[in-house]
Amino acid sequence: MTYKLIGKNFTPPDVVAKVTGEAKYAEDFRVEGMVFCRLLTSPMPHARVKSIDTSEALKMEGVVGVLLPEDVTPVPAPNAPILTMEPLYVGQPILAVAAVDETTAQDAIEKIKIDYEPLPFTVDPLQSLFPGGPNARSDGNVGAQGLELQTLKWTAADFAQAGESKLPLGKPAEEWAFGDLEAGFAKSKVVYDESFVTASNSHHSMEPRSALAYWQNGKCFVHGSTQSQSFVVPGLAQYIGIKPEELVYISEFCGGGFGSKGSAYPCMAIPALMAKKINKPVMMRISRAEEYYLGSARNGFQGRVKLGFGADGRLLAADLYIVQDGGCDNGFWDFRNAADALNIVYNPVAMRFRGVPVYTNTPSRTAQRGPGENQIACILEPLLDKAARDLKIDRLQIRRINSPNLQTKVGEDRRTITSAFLSEALVKGAARFKWDERKARSGQRKGSKVTGVGIGQAYHPAGFNGFDGLVRITPDGKLHIHTGVGNLGTFSHSGTARIAAEVLKCDWENCIVERGDTRKHLPWNIGQFGSNTSFTMARTNYVAAMDALTKMKEIAARDLGGKPDDYDVDGRKVFAKGNPGRSLTYAAVAQRAIELGGKYTGKELPEDINPMTRASATALAGSGLIGVAKDTLPVGGETPAFAAAFIEIELDVETGKHRIVDFLNVGDCGTVIHPMGLETQLKGGSVQGFGLACLEHIIIDPQNGLPGNVGLYQAKPPTYLDIPEQMHADWVDKPDPTSPMGTKGIGEPPMGAAASALLCAISDALGGYVFNRTPVKPDMIINAAAKRPMSHKPLQVNTQ
Amino acid sequence: MSRDMMPHFELYQPDTVENAIDLAKRIGEGAWIMAGGQDSLDWFKDRAKRPRAVIEITGIQGLSGIRETAEGLEIGALTTLTEIENSALVREKYSLLSTAAGRVASPQIRNIGTLGGNLCQDARCWYYRSGVNCYRAGGNSCYADTPQGLNREHCLFGASRCVAVSPSDMGTASVALDAQMVIRGPDGERVVPAEEFFIGPATDIRRMTVLKPAEILTAVRYPKTWAGAKFYFEKVADRNTWDFALVSVASALRLEGGTIREARVVCGGVECVPRRLKAVEQLLVGSPQSDEVGRLAGTTAVRGATTLNFNHFKVPLMENLVRRAIRDA
């Protein structure tokens, strides 16, 4: 299929402002009379605030007010509160102080006297599951979204039977299974039972989650930093305690989120609530250090997986148990995603999943690029290599023999998938990377440096459905694509807008992407997270554009005669197919739509659209031809995206340091919308993956709950000198049948594929040593190479 | 947890060393002498150290620059690490120093950070930096040297209540080059060998150097005895830039006909001071420069190491780096 715009590079409309510094982020705005607020955060990992005395602070010159836990909208536990009288981690906000400047606010915070009653705390899920072990929360120790808060303890026998080096298999909070697991293991040629630990790591959003808020004429205005636009509105309105239509939300630019700013988050309501209390605009700038408390992190795992492979390398049985370190409140369900990933990427004949999400007195966790899928890739891919080695099968082949296909079913309810070209990605990558030649170099030693090669794979769901699209053609002939998606940095707001432009055959110069501000009248869209927009928003923009197209043809038929089907469009005119001279320009059609009124210009709207879309379309009514529709296109199952990465490294066994010699990441991303953007996703995700594999690891002190990484230099995301000078990216470019133009999201799997490929290469260079713990840092490699024991006990919690 | 919001302080920007010393003396305990600020500003922002007055010395003329003297090389304390890294003179005769300078932190920090600041920087133990009231902060406990302490970066040698390590790459190189530290203070000028400049917790747990209040490190002299010697510097850190050494090594060798005649071998990241390995040096003198000698040197280097829960990898790492410092020099 040849497209006019899809598959072609373009310059996103916001990119110049970003690279010149003209773009205004939340903290760049200034409002008359604005004051600043700072947060007083908990010094203890778990405590009850018995009293707060702000009198000395309020006497200080320049201090305007304080916002206390009693002043904020209550949030039902175990979701994260806005401010709290029972802090659950070191750094949790207890109150806020507003002052004429931040220094004064911080000085005032030091004058506030708080009486804390320390409560038992834990930073280790296994300690919490042990009989009599501490609960992170006074209302329980286990829970997650979709799983009721509860207290769960395993038995002493569970622990004793497992010993120190295996994960105890106590009572799970959730489980599912399909197939005959025992028969699978019985038929297996090799069976592995491995316990593992994966780390928590920070999101490192370059823009901390600052926010500005003020109230004007009955509305609350918030400038925030979120990945998403429309999706944030209901949640943020709820935190502020107002109706969604009373909120004006502006998030035109977002300096990175990686999952941590997908939805409204509690602290972004603080300036709004403070502004209401003191009747002044309030700016809350979050510092880099605070971003490490408030910005969430990836969930860590302590897990155990039993894998049985047939002689041909086929995965016959997989039994996965994950204990998730979920931080102190309801964050994200990485543990479930990890199971789906095992299911989809390796397509086991029989499988069981068991999981327990445990709360700890550590900062909140939330989704981070490939939440669950990427951690488990780091564990499973090296184990796949172990099986390949033991079964004497090529590492490419063992992946291909287990690759997902259209018959692959997911979970106990055996859900279907809509497309899967991971095997094609492997083949394409292997050919371009010359895998057969490279693998011959595996283990070659030059001085202290050993060559290692590896392949890594990862998966993430690539889209949702059921949201709304809204487009508008104005009497100047321009196509306005109203999109409620955010500006995470992938430019998918414009990439997916081009789906609508493609349907209407518009030149990109004649398109205007309306976004980033509720006053732009935006439709109800899902957030920009989970790499879904290239699918979800392709569908919404497609149905809205199709609605516009239908209306344009109807107007042409009405004015020029014939039936709507007699007409087509060329980007400027709607014309009669048999007589192209008989035509109306887009400008004229838009003008006619206004004159005709009714559905043509948004005065009559479909019944099934969301109230937010209805309000936006109503506000736009009469300004042009309105195309608006809910995505009710057929759904064929889950739409997965995959990536397969190939890597060659040199590992210095004397220093534990590696150098990436060559690297290729191949995406199964459906139809390519924007090649340059895709390449950036594949390579950028890879850089983050190298950090996940070998560098990043949040530290929480078990003695006092103190976080150890509160700066970029401590949290250690990869630098330019830690990644290869050149990385290569490629893609399969095969359409997904349930996406109107075949597009699907690819943001997350490249990270897991890169991370696991690197880990596989390190294991390869060490002769097959499997760490079962990430990140694999130089100290672990040195110990492995020197045949010394590891510092960590096998199941020592991920934050140590 | 107060973080990232600097409190007010008085700021003085003297234009001579004398004025700076006078100011520091007059202000007394609340005075803080600051050069590039790459260490100081973190402390201030975290409010973990709160000087009443900051004496910013970067405006003082004559404290920066690289000069060749009759005795060797003199580098002003305010010389930036970038200048040292890029100096043709340093690269030609004291490449150990330019190599070490090029491995400090990141290019941006090296553009601002000074030689003096790098040598005088405080311990990087993450507990101490968090602002906890540990021994080094004047309290009565150590959080790192405990059964549960997270002490991957901490020391193998010289623990004395505190187990922090020397974070200074320039310190490691300077000790290997027998540098002389020129210090000026209320009592005039004194010159201290680099090896004595750095002090461990047993000497004074609150300080990393012999600098007393109101004293300023003004210059470092590198004697010509080591000019043009065979050098080796390697720093192993998690990241290849903007990171502190897990272990580093600096060596200087003089050979005659394949036999080592003089040697200096120093490790960073293993003790609160740059650890000069005198036993290794003794072993080297009179030996050929070979892998076998390097191996023996490595084994010698780690003798007496005392490990903590998470840092025992430093033993083989130090062993390997010392071996490389001989073998690969």
Side-chain angles (χ1 to χ4, degrees):
Chain A
M1 179 91 197
T2 327
Y3 293 109
K4 179 185 167 93
L5 299 172
I6 301 305
K8 311 257 173 36
N9 284 327
F10 67 100
T11 305
D14 58 323
V15 78
V16 172
K18 277 181 175 167
V19 298
T20 57
E22 279 171 19
K24 284 180 91 171
Y25 293 80
E27 79 161 66
D28 296 326
F29 291 91
R30 291 293 178 272
V31 185
E32 203 185 333
M34 184 179 103
V35 297
F36 292 85
C37 86
R38 295 278 302 153
L39 302 172
L40 185 155
T41 61
S42 174
M44 294 184 189
H46 191 189
R48 190 167 289 120
V49 174
K50 292 172 74 180
S51 66
I52 300 174
D53 178 359
T54 60
S55 54
E56 291 299 313
L58 286 168
K59 276 186 220 157
M60 285 174 62
E61 194 182 334
V63 173
V64 185
V66 297
L67 190 73
L68 299 170
E70 67 203 46
D71 298 326
V72 302
T73 320
V75 177
N79 296 302
I82 299 168
L83 298 170
T84 185
M85 294 293 275
E86 189 185 329
L88 296 170
Y89 67 92
V90 173
Q92 186 159 26
I94 293 169
L95 59 83
V97 175
V100 291
D101 60 54
E102 289 163 323
T103 308
T104 305
Q106 194 70 48
D107 291 347
I109 281 172
E110 292 179 346
K111 303 268 189 204
I112 292 172
K113 295 185 197 78
I114 297 195
D115 188 8
Y116 296 98
E117 178 193 344
L119 296 174
F121 76 97
T122 181
V123 300
D124 182 358
L126 294 185
Q127 185 190 32
S128 187
L129 289 170
F130 194 76
N135 292 346
R137 306 180 56 96
S138 35
D139 49 8
N141 70 335
V142 163
Q145 288 189 41
L147 174 70
E148 206 176 332
L149 176 65
Q150 56 193 275
T151 299
L152 178 65
K153 302 288 169 190
W154 289 348
T155 67
D158 294 331
F159 284 87
Q161 277 156 12
E164 282 282 302
S165 60
K166 291 284 176 199
L167 183 80
L169 298 173
K171 185 184 170 207
E174 292 185 9
E175 67 178 306
W176 55 258
F178 61 80
D180 188 341
L181 206 61
E182 287 317 311
F185 286 124
K187 269 193 282 180
S188 295
K189 180 89 185 288
V190 291
V191 175
Y192 306 101
D193 179 358
E194 307 275 342
S195 294
F196 60 86
V197 176
T198 69
S200 286
N201 58 305
S202 303
H203 291 68
H204 304 301
S205 306
M206 285 309 294
E207 182 198 13
R209 50 203 63 230
S210 300
L212 162 69
Y214 57 95
W215 297 74
Q216 208 168 72
N217 297 336
K219 286 202 172 189
C220 181
F221 290 68
V222 177
H223 293 265
S225 175
T226 49
Q227 300 167 206
S228 312
Q229 170 67 35
S230 293
F231 197 75
V232 171
V233 171
L236 179 56
Q238 198 173 356
Y239 280 133
I240 299 172
I242 56 177
K243 294 181 196 137
E245 56 270 28
E246 291 167 336
L247 175 65
V248 177
Y249 183 61
I250 302 118
S251 182
E252 193 179 347
F253 294 94
C254 172
F258 305 102
S260 71
K261 299 175 185 167
S263 315
Y265 43 87
C267 69
M268 72 187 296
I270 291 171
L273 295 164
M274 178 74 91
K276 189 170 190 181
K277 187 171 177 186
I278 64 176
N279 198 24
K280 284 179 192 299
V282 176
M283 167 71 82
M284 180 178 70
R285 298 195 312 152
I286 295 302
S287 75
R288 174 59 52 201
E290 287 164 337
E291 183 66 16
Y292 283 100
Y293 305 139
L294 303 172
S296 301
R298 181 185 290 275
N299 289 293
F301 294 160
Q302 287 151 310
R304 184 164 171 177
V305 64
K306 190 174 171 187
L307 301 170
F309 295 88
D312 60 351
R314 184 78 179 94
L315 182 59
L316 300 176
D319 191 6
L320 179 67
Y321 201 126
I322 291 178
V323 176
Q324 171 171 291
D325 176 358
C328 62
D329 47 45
N330 268 2
F332 205 76
W333 48 88
D334 290 37
F335 68 117
R336 296 178 190 137
N337 288 3
D340 284 357
L342 192 167
N343 188 162
I344 292 183
V345 177
Y346 310 102
N347 198 18
V349 177
M351 178 175 166
R352 174 168 61 168
F353 166 63
R354 290 174 287 177
V356 186
V358 183
Y359 298 113
T360 55
N361 295 102
T362 62
S364 301
R365 305 299 154 81
T366 194
Q368 183 189 108
R369 203 171 195 164
E373 299 94 351
N374 287 349
Q375 293 99 305
I376 205 69
C378 289
I379 296 302
L380 295 175
E381 290 288 301
L383 293 177
L384 213 64
D385 284 355
K386 187 175 183 173
R389 185 172 271 109
D390 291 347
L391 293 167
K392 298 187 172 40
I393 300 174
D394 176 76
R395 286 182 270 166
L396 177 69
Q397 293 314 317
I398 199 167
R399 285 168 173 81
R400 288 197 64 209
I401 199 170
N402 290 301
S403 281
N405 54 60
L406 288 178
Q407 279 68 53
T408 299
K409 303 282 189 293
V410 191
E412 192 160 65
D413 46 349
R414 313 271 63 208
R415 306 183 299 276
T416 55
I417 59 174
T418 60
S419 61
F421 302 108
L422 178 57
S423 188
E424 285 81 347
L426 286 165
V427 170
K428 187 164 190 176
R432 180 163 164 186
F433 200 71
K434 300 191 169 62
W435 170 251
D436 287 332
E437 286 175 31
R438 301 248 185 197
K439 74 177 182 195
R441 295 215 278 276
S442 156
Q444 283 183 5
R445 183 162 178 155
K446 214 187 289 171
S448 59
K449 297 189 175 79
V450 184
T451 293
V453 295
I455 305 174
Q457 313 175 99
Y459 139 87
H460 189 273
F464 303 104
N465 57 78
F467 293 84
D468 298 338
L470 177 60
V471 301
R472 180 170 61 121
I473 299 170
T474 42
D476 56 1
K478 301 275 186 193
L479 171 66
H480 302 249
I481 301 107
H482 293 250
T483 174
V485 77
N487 190 359
L488 173 58
T490 63
F491 303 115
S492 83
H493 49 72
S494 293
T496 57
R498 285 161 72 87
I499 300 277
E502 187 77 48
V503 170
L504 296 169
K505 298 185 181 164
C506 287
D507 290 337
W508 187 233
E509 294 70 37
N510 284 324
C511 296
I512 298 164
V513 182
E514 305 279 6
R515 60 171 196 85
D517 186 334
T518 47
R519 290 169 296 184
K520 299 273 183 73
H521 308 300
L522 308 176
W524 171 240
N525 291 140
I526 197 168
Q528 188 166 32
F529 47 66
S531 306
N532 78 88
T533 57
S534 293
F535 182 87
T536 319
M537 300 296 298
R539 289 169 63 109
T540 57
N541 289 330
Y542 179 82
V543 294
M546 288 303 288
D547 183 52
L549 183 63
T550 303
K551 288 169 179 169
M552 290 163 82
K553 290 179 181 176
E554 284 175 13
I555 291 172
R558 175 193 278 257
D559 284 10
L560 305 175
K563 294 195 285 289
D565 282 352
D566 299 340
Y567 288 86
D568 200 357
V569 294
D570 67 0
R572 292 174 186 277
K573 302 184 298 295
V574 51
F575 63 89
K577 282 185 255 187
N579 180 5
R582 211 168 82 211
S583 65
L584 284 172
T585 63
Y586 282 19
V589 171
Q591 187 57 45
R592 282 294 289 142
I594 295 169
E595 290 158 14
L596 290 166
K599 68 176 181 179
Y600 294 112
T601 192
K603 289 187 174 160
E604 289 165 23
L605 294 166
E607 291 298 318
D608 58 353
I609 57 173
N610 180 279
M612 183 186 289
T613 315
R614 177 171 298 278
S616 293
T618 302
L620 294 167
S623 66
L625 184 144
I626 305 283
V628 58
K630 179 178 171 155
D631 160 23
T632 54
L633 296 171
V635 178
E638 289 182 12
T639 300
F642 299 96
F646 295 79
I647 199 166
E648 179 181 337
I649 64 161
E650 255 178 21
L651 184 74
D652 191 323
V653 292
E654 290 179 350
T655 62
K657 298 283 295 181
H658 68 267
R659 184 178 74 85
I660 298 172
V661 176
D662 202 359
F663 176 77
L664 168 68
N665 211 334
V666 185
D668 165 18
C669 54
T671 305
V672 177
I673 299 181
H674 182 196
M676 202 187 278
L678 169 59
E679 196 164 331
T680 307
Q681 285 302 304
L682 287 162
K683 292 180 179 175
S686 300
V687 172
Q688 223 174 349
F690 300 145
L692 182 75
C694 293
L695 288 168
E696 296 182 49
H697 173 203
I698 69 165
I699 296 281
I700 307 284
D701 185 54
Q703 304 164 102
N704 49 23
L706 206 61
N709 315 99
V710 290
L712 286 163
Y713 86 89
Q714 293 171 314
K716 304 189 185 186
T719 70
Y720 272 114
L721 297 185
D722 300 302
I723 61 171
E725 274 175 46
Q726 274 214 319
M727 293 189 281
H728 305 284
D730 212 330
W731 39 85
V732 178
D733 204 2
K734 288 198 172 185
D736 181 272
T738 57
S739 181
M741 295 182 188
T743 61
K744 61 184 183 182
I746 189 62
E748 326 213 7
M751 180 182 177
S756 56
L758 176 53
L759 291 166
C760 286
I762 291 171
S763 286
D764 184 46
L766 291 170
Y769 188 99
V770 176
F771 288 91
N772 283 333
R773 173 180 286 270
T774 59
V776 172
K777 294 191 193 181
D779 56 325
M780 293 162 64
I781 295 170
I782 291 163
N783 284 335
K787 302 195 164 36
R788 294 170 70 97
M790 290 292 143
S791 297
H792 292 94
K793 294 189 188 108
L795 284 155
Q796 191 150 5
V797 68
N798 70 90
T799 48
Q800 293 179 12
Chain B
M1 298 300 296
S2 281
R3 287 205 173 265
D4 277 6
M5 190 48 57
M6 211 178 286
H8 291 296
F9 47 74
E10 294 167 16
L11 177 66
Y12 296 90
Q13 296 175 304
D15 56 2
T16 65
V17 178
E18 291 71 28
N19 283 346
I21 293 166
D22 280 351
L23 273 166
K25 206 176 145 187
R26 204 167 72 218
I27 296 159
E29 211 172 302
W32 181 291
I33 294 165
M34 181 176 93
Q38 299 304 290
D39 184 2
S40 305
L41 296 178
D42 266 358
W43 282 120
F44 302 166
K45 285 200 291 185
D46 288 350
R47 298 186 169 213
K49 304 251 183 197
R50 305 183 71 151
R52 180 164 69 78
V54 172
I55 302 165
E56 200 241 300
I57 58 170
T58 52
I60 297 175
Q61 299 293 310
L63 285 194
S64 96
I66 300 164
R67 293 174 294 277
E68 197 161 19
T69 66
E71 291 77 36
L73 195 68
E74 181 168 306
I75 305 183
L78 289 181
T79 311
T80 68
L81 296 160
T82 299
E83 287 172 273
I84 296 169
E85 181 187 358
N86 295 333
S87 157
L89 181 59
V90 177
R91 285 177 170 226
E92 188 199 333
K93 294 186 174 168
Y94 303 88
S95 62
L96 182 65
L97 219 47
S98 51
T99 307
R103 286 293 280 114
V104 173
S106 67
Q108 291 92 331
I109 293 171
R110 296 199 290 271
N111 287 339
I112 298 291
T114 64
L115 172 63
N118 184 273
L119 292 167
C120 297
Q121 71 182 303
D122 207 344
R124 290 278 165 184
C125 166
W126 79 267
Y127 291 103
Y128 174 51
R129 288 270 162 179
S130 298
V132 298
N133 195 26
C134 67
Y135 286 124
R136 186 168 288 282
N140 59 1
S141 56
C142 171
Y143 295 80
D145 187 8
T146 65
Q148 289 189 298
L150 302 181
N151 45 34
R152 175 175 176 264
E153 290 79 21
H154 292 73
C155 75
L156 297 177
F157 299 95
S160 175
R161 292 164 296 151
C162 177
V163 290
V165 295
S166 161
S168 171
D169 296 322
M170 299 312 283
T172 306
S174 296
V175 171
L177 292 172
D178 291 336
Q180 299 286 315
M181 322 299 267
V182 183
I183 297 166
R184 281 168 66 186
D187 303 327
E189 184 176 291
R190 61 182 178 131
V191 178
V192 176
E195 213 187 324
E196 292 167 26
F197 179 73
F198 299 100
I199 55 175
T203 308
D204 186 341
I205 204 163
R206 304 295 304 275
R207 294 189 294 158
M208 300 286 283
T209 70
V210 295
L211 285 180
K212 290 188 282 222
E215 279 193 328
I216 297 174
L217 176 69
T218 57
V220 185
R221 293 177 188 149
Y222 296 93
K224 64 183 172 190
T225 45
W226 288 109
K230 252 190 174 183
F231 296 125
Y232 188 89
F233 182 87
E234 188 170 7
K235 168 180 174 177
V236 173
D238 289 319
R239 302 197 296 184
N240 294 329
T241 187
W242 201 15
D243 209 346
F244 293 94
L246 293 166
V247 179
S248 63
V249 68
S251 69
L253 304 177
R254 288 247 183 239
L255 280 89
E256 269 175 29
T259 302
I260 299 168
R261 289 295 168 211
E262 285 180 279
R264 290 288 180 278
V265 185
V266 181
C267 276
V270 296
E271 190 176 348
C272 192
V273 298
R275 181 173 176 82
R276 183 171 162 193
L277 305 170
K278 286 190 180 157
V280 169
E281 292 168 6
Q282 281 172 23
L283 179 145
L284 294 177
V285 172
S287 299
Q289 185 193 357
S290 66
D291 185 29
E292 178 55 17
V293 168
R295 195 183 62 76
L296 293 174
T299 309
T300 306
V302 298
R303 195 172 174 87
T306 306
T307 58
L308 304 163
N309 278 346
F310 289 97
N311 76 348
H312 66 87
F313 74 97
K314 285 192 176 185
V315 172
L317 178 55
M318 184 179 176
E319 208 172 338
N320 292 340
L321 286 183
V322 169
R323 181 179 184 177
R324 285 153 86 101
I326 313 308
R327 184 187 73 197
D328 303 338

